[in-house]
Amino acid sequence: MMGPRDLKVNGSRLRQALEAMAGIGATPGGGVQRLTLTDEDKRARDLFVTWLRELDLEITIDEMGNIFGRRPGKNDELAPVMSGSHIDSQPKGGRFDGILGVMGALEVMRTLCENKITTERPIVIVDWTNEEGSRFAPAMVASGVWAGALDRDWVYDRRDINGRRFEDELERISYKGSVPCRKFPVHVYFEYHIEQGPILEREGKRIGAPKGIVCLHWYDVYLEGEANQVGPTPMAGRHDALCGAAEMILKVNDLPDRMGGNMVATVGEIQNHPNSRNIIPDNVHFTVDIRSWDDDLALRAWEAVRRDFESIAERRGCPIRIEETWRVAHSPFDERRVQEVLAVATELGYPCLPMVSGAGHDASYMNQVASTAMIFVPSIGGRSHVEVEQTSWEDCEAGANVLLHCMLRSANER
Ligand SMILES: [Zn+2]
């Protein structure tokens, strides 16, 4: 069996693949806007599928638009080793989030093919549809349906801000496959991803091995006010929905301090109606995102802030409606695989660090089905989901080498 020092990925080929993908949906600010199920998503998928064909992989597209490329093993009946991530991006997102994990797994496939290495088990590369959840909420829906955690038809009916349905858009870009989106046995799932935080850079490490992913709780809040002309309407007795929302947003921001635990809480999206400078706002929608390694703490925090919301709404005479949109429990990875990532990185001479993932990933749902681990590389300045998102090419290559040898090891396990 080849050891880490005998076999490496081709870093410049990986870079070329990433640069080609960065050209699809490129933004003037140096980022990428490739929202799920848009024309840009379709073009990137088409290119990805072309590359899978060149490697003679067996390609499957399921009814959620997930794309799988399978490379047979010597013992093809065994459960495959799987790796991948997502091709879609945030609005004005970065050039590495998601796509690095897909191109990294592709580079592993290319390396195996050109070296004519056949593994004991089959290997599967995957692109999961709509990981981001910014066009169609929530996030990670396709791995969620695959894992049996989300209902396919519920996801099909999700709508974007313009009222377009998920399923219709999937059909429009010709990626609604006929294969059922349903879990199949997977030996190990590895997801390679940028860290999206500042820790690896700060600690001077090249590879991060998260012990798992924090819980993710999403809520949608709708406030109703009373519209009126801003000039003649006295301040007293107003029902200003935007002012109510403003108070609530600050309560969310205060939550982590108040709960005294390890958590983050964010309001990232708001819609204000009618959004006119001379009308008192009568309809506001905003989102709440709460994350923690401690699920109970996150739930207690939500209960506390929900009570605040209700009393603010009552005091301002603004009826409130709350939707509990999405909850994913914290997800501790397979300890043995996490150790393997650290061991492989060390063998390759890359300084590495055990950590926690504060971002959600498809690996969260995969972890419900199969033994799962992730490989992180540093994000320069800790910035992600923005156009300036950056990771050095050397680090991209290093992470792909770790992925290669983690996959090789587990794919040769009987
Ligand atoms: Zn991502």
Side-chain angles (χ1 to χ4, degrees), residues 86 97-98 131 193:
H86 59 98
D97 177 5
E131 190 275 344
H193 208 280

Side-chain angles (χ1 to χ4, degrees), residues 23 77 89 125 196 202 214 356 370 383:
E77 301 303 303
S89 85
I125 178 172
Q196 306 185 281
R202 194 191 292 153
V214 297
V356 168
R383 305 283 308 277

Side-chain angles (χ1 to χ4, degrees), residues 289-353:
D289 176 311
I290 300 177
R291 304 179 187 205
S292 174
W293 186 254
D294 180 344
D295 298 65
D296 281 345
L297 181 73
L299 289 175
R300 286 204 310 277
W302 168 245
E303 283 313 314
V305 85
R306 196 172 54 88
R307 281 194 295 275
D308 293 340
F309 285 2
E310 276 157 7
S311 72
I312 293 166
E314 171 143 1
R315 174 162 45 77
R316 289 188 173 270
C318 295
I320 186 170
R321 184 167 67 80
I322 293 171
E323 235 179 81
E324 301 189 340
T325 311
W326 189 46
R327 277 187 187 148
V328 184
H330 92 287
S331 190
F333 292 151
D334 185 339
E335 175 63 23
R336 175 182 159 207
R337 300 298 174 187
V338 176
Q339 290 307 322
E340 247 171 39
V341 171
L342 293 167
V344 167
T346 305
E347 262 186 79
L348 286 162
Y350 303 139
C352 54
L353 188 73

Side-chain angles (χ1 to χ4, degrees), residues 92-272:
K92 287 196 178 172
R95 296 187 294 156
F96 295 89
D97 177 5
I99 196 69
L100 176 62
V102 185
M103 296 301 102
L106 178 73
E107 179 51 37
V108 168
M109 287 285 198
R110 286 172 164 171
T111 303
L112 296 181
C113 288
E114 78 184 349
N115 288 282
K116 300 189 171 53
I117 295 167
T118 309
T119 47
E120 202 61 41
R121 292 170 178 274
I123 290 184
V124 173
I125 178 172
V126 59
D127 162 44
W128 298 110
T129 298
N130 188 26
E131 190 275 344
E132 295 291 0
S134 46
R135 182 177 175 205
F136 295 99
M140 294 140 52
V141 288
S143 55
V145 171
W146 187 87
L150 297 176
D151 176 62
R152 184 199 68 178
D153 292 334
W154 179 76
V155 175
Y156 274 174
D157 280 333
R158 306 300 294 172
R159 286 177 190 272
D160 72 4
I161 201 164
N162 300 311
R164 298 227 166 86
R165 268 181 86 242
F166 184 98
E167 183 186 16
D168 298 342
E169 287 295 277
L170 191 57
E171 272 172 357
R172 188 187 66 81
I173 67 161
S174 324
Y175 274 90
K176 189 186 166 198
S178 52
V179 177
C181 179
R182 198 178 301 140
K183 62 185 167 192
F184 50 78
V186 170
H187 182 55
V188 192
Y189 176 74
F190 289 105
E191 186 162 342
Y192 173 29
H193 208 280
I194 52 169
E195 179 198 349
Q196 306 185 281
I199 294 167
L200 289 175
E201 185 181 68
R202 194 191 292 153
E203 302 283 320
K205 307 288 187 188
R206 202 148 217 199
I207 300 293
K211 66 172 179 177
I213 300 178
V214 297
C215 74
L216 272 102
H217 297 176
W218 281 11
Y219 306 96
D220 282 88
V221 181
Y222 300 86
L223 271 179
E224 212 179 291
E226 191 177 75
N228 216 336
Q229 229 286 16
V230 298
T233 311
M235 297 307 289
R238 287 186 178 196
H239 305 290
D240 185 325
L242 187 57
C243 287
E247 277 192 65
M248 293 175 191
I249 290 167
L250 290 177
K251 289 285 183 194
V252 173
N253 187 62
D254 289 342
L255 259 187
D257 263 355
R258 180 172 151 197
M259 301 303 293
N262 209 330
M263 61 177 281
V264 289
T266 312
V267 174
E269 184 182 342
I270 182 165
Q271 275 101 34
N272 174 52

